[in-house]
Amino acid sequence: MENIVRFEHCGELIYTFTHREDSHSSAEEPGGTGSGPAGVPSGRCPLCGDRLSFRLLDAPVAVPCPFSNGHETPCAFLLSSRSGPTSISEQNDSELHVGISNSEGVVFSYTESGVQRQQQSWEKSLTIPLVTPSNNPSVPLITPSNHPSPAVVTPSNHSSPPLLPGSVVRSWDRRLETFSSQDRWTTDRFSEEGEFGSCCYGFALSFINEVRRSEVMEVISQNTFTLGYVLPTIHRSSKYLSLYDHIRHHGYYHNTTVPTV
């Protein structure tokens, strides 16, 4: 796939792939391995036709892809789709699958076959880190917000507390393994409605709240978690995918037709 870069020319912000002349043939879907660091787009400005050249301070800036390797994101809530990352958007009603990663990047998820422990298949996921940075537990790594970054929610001044303190990392793997071995996650109870929902979503949110309770924190409801964490993450991926699709079909994008990411 091609990386998206943003640069200013002709008084406009222009979004394009790193190498525009190859964009139609090689930009199949976002979320894969990029062709390299963002560089000066080849060719000419799509607006004025002038050959592109930039001073150092005006060089193109890479637009972060919202999809990342879930196996390289420890202690996180992950969203994925069997149809690929392009299905994880507000414009697509395909079924999503969620899981929780341990400290080694093994993803635990609840399916009709029981709890799965996977070391692959989550390479193109939306990730929501669940714990504060261990070196500064007072700073939340994630808070419910509409932070403009399309990739990962970052520290903010939002008044809501972090989901989990950094101290839980030390016992994260043990807790997750013990939790996953409970009888309520057997194959015959997959569709059973629990306190925090059913299926894979209920499994993941139940684990988050079990850890929160053990840390004497209030539980987070299904509605609060969905509205405050999951939907904003999907919204950011939707904006990125709209931009990506526009560039794939037209070679570039400028001004405000597609939401800026």
Side-chain angles (χ1 to χ4, degrees), residues 4 6 15 30 61-68 88 125-129 145-154 229-244 259-261:
I4 296 178
R6 180 185 69 228
Y15 296 79
V61 177
V63 176
C65 178
F67 306 101
S68 58
I88 312 177
S125 305
L126 294 179
T127 61
I128 301 177
S145 67
N146 291 317
H147 194 280
S149 169
V152 178
V153 180
T154 52
Y229 295 84
V230 176
L231 292 185
T233 301
I234 294 177
H235 179 64
R236 286 189 290 274
S237 73
S238 297
K239 292 197 297 181
Y240 182 90
L241 289 172
S242 294
L243 175 63
Y244 193 98
T260 301
V261 297

Side-chain angles (χ1 to χ4, degrees), residues 77-261:
F77 178 94
L78 311 177
L79 297 99
S80 184
S81 172
R82 292 184 177 88
S83 301
T86 56
S87 299
I88 312 177
S89 76
E90 295 166 325
Q91 289 73 44
N92 196 303
D93 59 358
S94 65
E95 184 177 355
L96 301 182
H97 189 45
V98 306
I100 300 286
S101 60
N102 70 6
S103 66
E104 301 295 327
V106 178
V107 179
F108 289 62
S109 66
Y110 186 35
T111 73
E112 292 176 319
S113 300
V115 176
Q116 306 298 307
R117 298 161 176 80
Q118 297 173 287
Q119 296 180 325
Q120 57 184 11
S121 300
W122 295 79
E123 288 80 6
K124 298 177 182 179
S125 305
L126 294 179
T127 61
I128 301 177
L130 295 174
V131 301
T132 61
S134 58
N135 61 340
N136 189 358
S138 64
V139 179
L141 182 63
I142 172 171
T143 57
S145 67
N146 291 317
H147 194 280
S149 169
V152 178
V153 180
T154 52
S156 72
N157 293 321
H158 197 281
S159 59
S160 297
L163 279 175
L164 296 166
S167 58
V168 304
V169 172
R170 291 189 293 269
S171 59
W172 186 268
D173 292 358
R174 175 181 54 79
R175 293 187 190 201
L176 184 54
E177 185 61 53
T178 299
F179 176 83
S180 301
S181 301
Q182 295 175 0
D183 291 340
R184 53 176 162 161
W185 310 122
T186 54
T187 58
D188 58 311
R189 302 182 67 177
F190 180 69
S191 299
E192 185 177 301
E193 191 71 24
E195 182 180 2
F196 302 106
S198 62
C199 309
C200 59
Y201 198 88
F203 168 82
L205 187 54
S206 293
F207 174 72
I208 293 170
N209 276 312
E210 182 162 303
V211 178
R212 285 177 66 88
R213 281 170 170 154
S214 70
E215 297 296 314
V216 198
M217 302 173 71
E218 292 184 2
V219 300
I220 182 168
S221 69
Q222 182 178 7
N223 187 59
T224 298
F225 184 72
T226 300
L227 294 178
Y229 295 84
V230 176
L231 292 185
T233 301
I234 294 177
H235 179 64
R236 286 189 290 274
S237 73
S238 297
K239 292 197 297 181
Y240 182 90
L241 289 172
S242 294
L243 175 63
Y244 193 98
D245 191 60
H246 187 96
I247 297 172
R248 186 163 63 91
H249 285 92
H250 302 282
Y252 69 96
Y253 164 75
H254 76 105
N255 83 31
T256 57
T257 305
V258 179
T260 301
V261 297

